[in-house]
Amino acid sequence: ALLEEAAKENWSKVQPPIFGALFEGSMGKQERHAYGAHFTSEADIMKVVRPTIERPWLERIDTAKTLKELQALRAELLEFQVLDPACGCGNFLYVAYREMRPLEMRILQRIHTEFGKKARAQAGTRPLLSLKQFHGIDINGFAVELAKVTLMLGREQGIEETRSALASGQLDLPLE
């Protein structure tokens, strides 16, 4: 019954990183120390994500010159895997996912604006980045479950952001 009530709520404004703060706050100091549980801020996560994921992909996308190169980059992006070996509540995985979504959309936008109707039809407008590309390990089972919720919520918010951007014309892709 509690789960059904929670499912009826509007979760669209909940920021997924809040789960990390809640999780850390639910543990006592000794328990946090024993597990090494520490909430990593988004600013610190971006110090890893920006130079290892975001910048290299942006450089490759922006320097691609042909349709074939863009298609290959998208295929590679959809195979790219992210692992957090001490994921806690999944904040690192969430931020990595959130930063990779615009990379795929950038590829799609280039295909749609620079190449013909056939290329646009083949590429479609739906992002295909999957949560199955993001992996986390943690010794705390509750943290792992929170990481799953964090990623699912991030995915739903990403889908809604893409819909809104397409509908408002912020992304120059035709709606399917």
Side-chain angles (χ1 to χ4, degrees):
L2 186 60
L3 201 53
E4 290 171 9
E5 288 299 313
K8 293 177 187 174
E9 296 297 324
N10 178 1
W11 291 83
S12 65
K13 301 294 182 205
V14 175
Q15 292 300 310
I18 193 70
F19 294 118
L22 290 171
F23 176 67
E24 186 175 345
S26 73
M27 300 173 126
K29 187 177 180 179
Q30 286 181 320
E31 188 178 9
R32 276 197 315 269
H33 181 71
Y35 282 114
H38 172 71
F39 178 73
T40 307
S41 72
E42 183 172 333
D44 287 340
I45 292 168
M46 287 304 292
K47 289 176 184 175
V48 174
V49 170
R50 192 166 281 125
T52 62
I53 297 173
E54 186 182 32
R55 276 191 214 128
W57 278 102
L58 281 174
E59 287 173 16
R60 294 177 70 198
I61 294 165
D62 290 347
T63 58
K65 293 182 180 18
T66 67
L67 174 60
K68 189 175 183 176
E69 286 177 300
L70 288 169
Q71 290 169 329
L73 282 172
R74 186 178 188 203
E76 190 178 334
L77 183 69
L78 297 176
E79 293 294 320
F80 191 80
Q81 305 290 307
V82 176
L83 170 66
D84 184 347
C87 70
C89 301
N91 201 33
F92 178 86
L93 296 170
Y94 161 74
V95 171
Y97 174 77
R98 187 194 69 202
E99 296 304 311
M100 285 178 65
R101 281 186 60 84
L103 297 171
E104 183 183 10
M105 294 311 294
R106 191 175 190 120
I107 293 169
L108 285 174
Q109 191 163 21
R110 285 210 46 211
I111 291 171
H112 279 261
T113 57
E114 297 173 26
F115 300 96
K117 190 174 184 176
K118 184 179 177 184
R120 289 192 296 269
Q122 188 178 20
T125 57
R126 199 174 77 221
L128 301 176
L129 192 69
S130 170
L131 291 183
K132 292 179 181 177
Q133 295 171 238
F134 298 83
H135 311 277
I137 302 168
D138 204 283
I139 59 173
N140 186 309
F142 181 64
V144 171
E145 293 305 314
L146 275 177
K148 291 176 186 177
V149 170
T150 298
L151 282 171
M152 286 188 282
L153 187 55
R155 178 182 176 272
E156 293 305 311
Q157 288 178 347
I159 289 169
E160 187 54 41
E161 286 171 10
T162 301
R163 275 193 198 121
S164 295
L166 287 169
S168 69
Q170 292 173 355
L171 279 175
D172 188 22
L173 302 178
L175 291 171
E176 285 186 335

